Amino acid sequence: MDQSPPVLPELKNLRDSIDNIDAAIIHMLAERFRCTQRVGVLKAEHKLPPADPARETRQVARLRELASTAQLDPDFAEKYLAFVVREVIRYHEAAARELSEKAG
Ligand SMILES: C=C(O[C@@H]1C=C(C(=O)O)C=C[C@H]1O)C(=O)O
């Protein structure tokens, strides 16, 4: 017999939406990383630095504004961006290393 407590229909509906939203976020992040991978290759080929702090400053301001409008904590939005950008820059550094190793 099923001993688990009954799950309220509203809880199940909310969890279904949460699962859909998480799936959408994963797909969007995958697309974002596809773009940034290509940016990393372009930067390596043109000897541009992996990080662009001026661009990041503009992105932080923009995301904080969007978060405020959407009633999301702007500090959380900024932390999210910093987390993602840190990973992107790691990839860009690796792309630059790979290219310079290939060039010998
Ligand atoms: C993707 C880029 O490289 C880095 C990563 C960024 C990002 O993930 O949004 C933004 C700026 C750069 O530090 C870029 O320069 O556009």
Side-chain angles (χ1 to χ4, degrees):
M1 208 169 79
D2 184 11
Q3 297 293 316
S4 58
V7 177
L8 299 171
E10 188 180 1
L11 179 59
K12 184 181 179 323
N13 277 341
L14 289 168
R15 287 181 173 171
D16 286 347
S17 288
I18 290 166
D19 287 347
N20 283 343
I21 292 163
D22 285 342
I25 289 171
I26 292 300
H27 282 104
M28 286 190 284
L29 278 174
E31 280 306 304
R32 191 185 199 284
F33 273 97
R34 237 190 293 281
C35 294
T36 56
Q37 302 279 47
R38 179 67 191 142
V39 170
V41 171
L42 285 174
K43 284 181 173 178
E45 286 172 352
H46 296 274
K47 307 227 177 310
L48 295 168
D52 184 339
R55 159 93 171 134
E56 291 172 32
T57 300
R58 292 193 300 275
Q59 287 169 290
V60 167
R62 178 170 173 269
L63 282 203
R64 289 189 68 92
E65 186 70 39
L66 285 171
S68 282
T69 305
Q71 283 162 38
L72 179 72
D73 180 356
D75 290 343
F76 174 78
E78 183 167 349
K79 277 188 229 158
Y80 149 78
L81 186 69
F83 179 71
V84 171
V85 169
R86 199 178 323 128
E87 188 68 4
V88 169
I89 290 170
R90 237 170 36 81
Y91 278 107
H92 287 187
E93 288 166 348
R97 261 196 315 276
E98 261 173 46
L99 199 74
S100 78
E101 278 163 18
K102 252 193 234 157

